[in-house]
Amino acid sequence: MRPAPLPVRDGLGPARVRLRGGPVLAELTARFGASARLKVLAGEVVDAGGAVVDEATVLAAGASVYLYRELPEEVPVPFDIPVLHRDADIVVVDKPHFLATMPRGRHVAQTALVRLRRELGLPELSPAHRLDRLTAGVLLFTTRREVRGAYQTLFARGLVRKTYLARAAVDPALVLPRVVRSRIVKRRGVLQAVCEPGAPNAETLVELLSPDGLYRLTPRTGRTHQLRVHMAALGVPIDGDPLYPNIIDVPPDDFGTPLRLLAQRIEFDDPVTGARREFVSDHDLKGCENQ
């Protein structure tokens, strides 16, 4: 993908807006209001080639312009992001609960990507994979555009072994270990993913490690909310889950009840160096209220 024609600024790249076609100033004003109009008039909007858009610019349908978005008001996530490893190609961190991996929706500046770009001074930092906002644990970023594709492909092809820990109730009648297979579908605009009839597209090995409800979860696929859906389907939803089996409305400033799910370990053969890599979280699920 071609780099954006505007650089990362204060940890955040520009927003790309695909146009319907016609005078750009009128369209941006109609879609985004007076703030977009002011950005055009101030010379802060550019086309895909980096040329400044002005009040006379007309672009065809499907063309794109770039501008820096107005940041929404966000509740600060009051937890640090410990760095587990850093070299010329990658940064591996121990992401806290409640922090999204990258900007989406109402979470922009309060995301691991933006905060790390600012804290580490790495404007090209990019996630090689994602963790849910409520899931803590090992998260890998690339530091340079040249190596980004190699690491993202590694995760996309399922060549990374991932191990999670979770806490949940114990059902003596539930036979474990077992491999859970189902078809999981997550629809845009719907909070919960659901299991539907059809060929399985999600597979998880579930093991009970201790009688007090510590589980090891080994996903063999990577569907959205897969581990949470599978544990709920077994009748032992993960402690602190506000989505499964039932949706619970949690205030955005409530950090007192984290989801007891931890991306505890990742293992892979490095696509750049060929070395075997292994990174392990320092989080403790028993004490995660205090991060």
Side-chain angles (χ1 to χ4, degrees):
M1 182 180 294
R2 175 193 289 184
L6 291 174
V8 170
R9 186 175 74 180
D10 197 22
L12 193 65
R16 178 189 178 196
V17 179
R18 188 179 295 273
L19 300 172
R20 297 164 186 154
V24 176
L25 177 61
E27 179 174 341
L28 293 181
T29 302
R31 291 172 62 178
F32 304 112
S35 64
R37 176 182 176 81
L38 292 175
K39 289 181 184 296
V40 172
L41 296 178
E44 297 177 0
V45 181
V46 302
D47 66 16
V52 174
V53 169
D54 61 26
E55 57 266 36
T57 302
V58 176
L59 294 175
S64 296
V65 295
Y66 294 78
L67 68 160
Y68 295 108
R69 73 192 82 183
E70 297 294 324
L71 296 183
E73 295 245 346
E74 297 181 67
V75 176
V77 177
F79 308 120
D80 295 332
I81 314 174
V83 175
L84 298 173
H85 173 85
R86 178 178 177 179
D87 62 33
D89 296 325
I90 61 174
V91 172
V92 184
V93 303
D94 213 353
K95 187 185 83 67
H97 298 276
F98 303 106
L99 192 68
T101 297
M102 59 190 299
R104 185 177 181 185
R106 69 173 188 251
H107 306 290
V108 179
Q110 289 299 309
T111 59
L113 175 62
V114 174
R115 282 179 48 175
L116 287 167
R117 280 177 173 175
R118 293 174 175 178
E119 292 171 11
L120 302 179
L122 295 172
E124 291 190 9
L125 198 72
S126 182
H129 63 120
R130 301 185 189 185
L131 292 179
D132 288 347
R133 186 178 69 88
L134 299 182
T135 303
V138 181
L139 182 60
L140 186 148
F141 293 83
T142 60
T143 63
R144 300 181 292 118
R145 182 178 299 275
E146 294 82 4
V147 300
R148 183 180 304 168
Y151 288 95
Q152 290 178 339
T153 298
L154 198 71
F155 282 89
R157 291 182 176 175
L159 300 177
V160 178
R161 177 178 172 82
K162 305 174 185 177
T163 305
Y164 290 73
L165 297 179
R167 287 206 168 270
V170 175
D171 179 358
L174 185 63
V175 178
L176 296 173
R178 71 165 61 187
V179 175
V180 182
R181 298 182 181 89
S182 66
R183 182 170 185 80
I184 295 178
V185 177
K186 176 70 167 65
R187 293 184 172 82
R188 184 184 298 272
V190 179
L191 292 177
Q192 290 181 319
V194 295
C195 291
E196 294 188 347
N201 61 4
E203 182 175 311
T204 306
L205 171 64
V206 179
E207 302 170 273
L208 180 62
L209 297 183
S210 63
D212 63 346
L214 178 64
Y215 293 81
R216 178 167 59 213
L217 309 177
T218 307
R220 295 171 178 168
T221 54
R223 312 303 299 185
T224 299
H225 295 176
Q226 175 177 318
L227 303 181
R228 299 162 69 179
V229 170
H230 278 170
M231 290 294 282
L234 291 176
V236 286
I238 297 172
D239 290 350
D241 197 333
L243 284 184
Y244 302 96
N246 302 308
I247 297 175
I248 301 171
D249 187 19
V250 180
D253 59 349
D254 184 352
F255 302 108
T257 308
L259 175 71
R260 300 308 205 280
L261 178 61
L262 173 67
Q264 191 246 355
R265 180 191 304 265
I266 61 172
E267 302 169 63
F268 59 91
D269 293 326
D270 193 291
V272 175
T273 68
R276 185 65 179 172
R277 299 274 207 170
E278 179 179 345
F279 301 106
V280 181
S281 170
D282 289 329
H283 269 85
D284 179 358
L285 281 178
K286 287 185 177 180
C288 61
E289 294 89 344
N290 301 319
Q291 296 298 322

